[in-house]
């Protein structure tokens, strides 16, 4: 084992035998990524001496990334005062804060992102589905295709993908008409749900066998007259917004790919209002 | 130890000695929440017999919630094929999928949510800060107050809170003018950044000592003439949008508290366009 993975402040040969390998971050912290099995008692010894050294060096946050296969080392870190920051499928990230002051560690991801797709054809028929599982199964309720936007996926791409997966219909993204934020949606996390308008590029329906009981083009008036839609304030607003959009009276947010100090991203904004004044 | 925590399908006395305590979920899965220390070899035996039983019962997802203090049991679960679903400060959630088909487990939270606050007073001065840490420290750059929306916090509340914390200025939320989605922002997570307009309710500035180097009301023209603002496409769009909003030419999304099939939430939409037609 060596400390040669320390990228910005290579440690001496002596350190290499008494400290965990680490790299420094730009916020005054250090990160140790364990990659090879280690005896827990050796890990404990190295962790203690490393923490002493990092404390003397004025370090703040200390991160330990444990791959799934090395989860047996987590108990040792917890005994030294570490807690969990987040986990993904194959690793657990533990963290510890050295200073006496409150930590300024970045928060874990807090939101899931979902979409509902409003797809209406030239006959004023809307694309709707009945789901095989979940809250509304078996109740004969026709609803917009919905789905979860993946980590790393653009909202507009996610909505086109979900419509294709659930119904087989090809679409082109138009606008985000509205969105809703709720809390305690899932394991305590918050939820952002974007109502997206998409233009159909094809009409033939192939319902997804695993998740969708049925899919169809349904006359808009028939959709909005469902008690399911009429009974809920949220759905009444959504249908009002969709109707207004269909009539050309409503403007949502349109995505535009723009560069920024840190990276590329999509800016969603009211393009009609902004560009009409230029 | 007993299996009496099984809520919907209480297990027999015999089961209670050979199975882990569990509750069933509405998606055909089971959840075991460990609350007391257990010898890893006993845990291993009970986990194996439980998995056999749940497989025969046609269960799908199997969840194990381990509090920080019992993380020593995670290695056993990993050896049985479990992986990590997510972690919060005090617990790790492991998961396993019994069926041969691809899993339909819900995704981990995927996004962090941030805000940038556009606060302009009657003298056309905008509220700006210089940060003590981060990418732009020490460069003399004046920027909008920004911050992270907490899990469980409404975006509009989060923006009012951040402005108050960083500058001491009281505000009232007006609209979301635009938002940006980026990826790989932090530990691989995606990021949603909402540009919020807020109306100042007070003018006196008290800059937050821990994070803010300086705060001031700056003439709008001076703000937009900073090279930092001029050099980046995103910031040019943002300032164009803010200018248009100030001139009354631009409409963003306004929050409205609405009820829905599942729960209360805030719907953000273009209220001017929707209500002008009614």
């Amino acid at each position: 084992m060596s400390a040669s993975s320390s990228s910005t402040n290579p440690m001496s040969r002596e350190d290499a035998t008494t400290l965990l390998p680490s790299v420094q971050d730009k916020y005054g912290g250090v990160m140790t990524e364990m990659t090879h099995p280690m005896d827990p008692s050796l890990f404990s010894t190295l962790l203690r001496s490393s923490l002493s050294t990092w404390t003397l060096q004025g370090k703040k946050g200390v991160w330990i990334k444990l791959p799934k296969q090395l989860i047996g080392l987590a108990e040792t870190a917890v005994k030294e005062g570490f807690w969990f920051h987040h986990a993904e499928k194959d690793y657990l990230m533990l963290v510890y804060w050295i200073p006496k002051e409150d930590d300024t560690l970045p928060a874990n991801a807090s939101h899931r992102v979902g979409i509902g797709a409003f797809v209406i054809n030239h006959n004023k028929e809307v694309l709707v589905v009945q789901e095989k599982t979940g809250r509304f199964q078996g109740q004969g309720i026709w609803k917009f295709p919905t789905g979860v936007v993946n980590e790393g996926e653009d909202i507009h791409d996610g909505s086109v993908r979900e419509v294709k997966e659930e119904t087989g219909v090809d679409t082109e993204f138009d606008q985000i008409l509205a969105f809703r934020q709720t809390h305690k949606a899932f394991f305590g996390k918050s939820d952002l749900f974007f109502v997206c308008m998409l233009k159909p590029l094809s009409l033939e329906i192939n319902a997804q066998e695993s998740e969708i009981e049925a899919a169809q083009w349904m006359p808009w008036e028939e959709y909005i007259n469902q008690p399911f839609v009429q009974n809920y304030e949220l759905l009444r607003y959504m249908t009002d917004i969709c109707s207004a959009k269909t009539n050309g009276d409503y403007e949502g947010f349109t995505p535009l790919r723009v560069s920024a100090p840190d990276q590329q991203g999509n800016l969603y904004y009211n393009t009609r209002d902004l560009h009409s004044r230029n």
Side-chain angles (χ1 to χ4, degrees), chain A:
Chain A
M1 191 187 119
S2 92
S4 62
S5 61
S6 174
S7 65
T8 55
N9 186 13
M11 293 170 183
S12 69
R13 181 168 291 272
E14 183 184 38
D15 288 338
T17 60
T18 58
L19 297 183
L20 291 167
S22 68
V23 294
Q24 307 195 26
D25 67 33
K26 59 185 171 186
Y27 303 99
V30 288
M31 158 87 78
T32 286
E33 182 169 353
M34 299 300 294
T35 53
H36 295 89
M38 185 183 288
D39 180 78
S41 66
L42 175 60
F43 179 67
S44 176
T45 303
L46 292 177
L47 180 55
R48 285 184 188 195
S49 60
S50 300
L51 283 173
S52 298
T53 300
W54 295 330
T55 302
L56 288 171
Q57 289 174 349
K59 296 297 176 197
K60 295 177 178 176
V62 179
W63 304 85
I64 298 178
K65 184 175 181 178
L66 289 181
K68 198 175 62 175
Q69 291 73 17
L70 304 185
I71 190 64
L73 298 176
E75 191 172 12
T76 302
V78 167
K79 283 180 181 162
E80 293 299 325
F82 281 72
W83 62 89
F84 307 153
H85 185 272
H86 69 277
E88 295 297 330
K89 192 165 184 173
D90 290 326
Y91 76 88
L92 172 65
M93 185 72 79
L94 296 109
V95 71
Y96 180 73
W97 182 251
I98 294 177
K100 290 202 172 60
E101 296 77 44
D102 287 349
D103 79 70
T104 57
L105 297 165
N108 193 356
S110 54
H111 284 66
R112 286 196 307 167
V113 174
I115 59 92
F118 172 54
V119 188
I120 194 160
N121 67 23
H122 287 98
N123 296 324
K124 279 205 74 171
E125 293 166 328
V126 63
L127 184 61
V128 290
V129 300
Q130 289 186 350
E131 294 177 348
K132 278 193 174 167
T133 57
R135 175 185 300 269
F136 302 116
Q137 72 177 106
Q139 296 180 45
I141 289 168
W142 293 97
K143 55 192 282 296
F144 288 1
T146 54
V148 174
V149 176
N150 297 325
E151 192 174 290
E153 184 177 43
D154 289 336
I155 295 168
H156 54 85
D157 288 340
S159 61
V160 169
R161 175 184 55 74
E162 283 287 350
V163 170
K164 179 69 178 178
E165 284 177 8
E166 292 197 350
T167 70
V169 172
D170 294 304
T171 56
E172 178 182 50
F173 185 86
D174 185 1
Q175 287 190 335
I176 285 172
L177 301 183
F179 65 87
R180 183 183 66 141
Q181 187 191 27
T182 55
H183 304 299
K184 304 281 176 197
F186 172 70
F187 291 130
K189 295 295 178 181
S190 297
D191 188 270
L192 279 164
F193 179 83
F194 292 86
V195 182
C196 301
M197 180 160 187
L198 298 95
K199 295 174 185 162
L201 299 176
S202 69
L203 295 174
E204 193 186 348
I205 286 176
N206 284 301
Q208 183 181 34
E209 204 170 309
S210 58
E211 293 180 28
I212 300 299
E213 187 63 42
Q216 67 163 326
W217 294 100
M218 176 183 255
W220 178 244
E221 294 302 321
E222 196 177 325
Y223 168 78
I224 64 176
N225 285 329
Q226 293 181 98
F228 162 73
V229 173
Q230 289 299 318
N231 288 345
Y232 291 106
E233 205 180 2
L234 173 73
L235 293 173
R236 289 199 304 274
Y237 273 101
M238 275 176 48
T239 52
D240 281 354
I241 289 168
C242 291
S243 290
K245 178 67 190 171
T246 308
N247 296 332
D249 297 331
Y250 184 92
E251 194 71 7
F253 284 176
T254 305
L256 178 76
R257 191 134 191 95
V258 294
S259 62
D262 39 1
Q263 60 179 139
Q264 290 278 319
N266 279 285
L267 184 69
Y268 291 78
Y269 67 106
N270 185 331
T271 51
R272 186 188 63 187
D273 280 6
L274 188 67
H275 297 143
S276 64
R277 60 190 279 279
N278 293 334

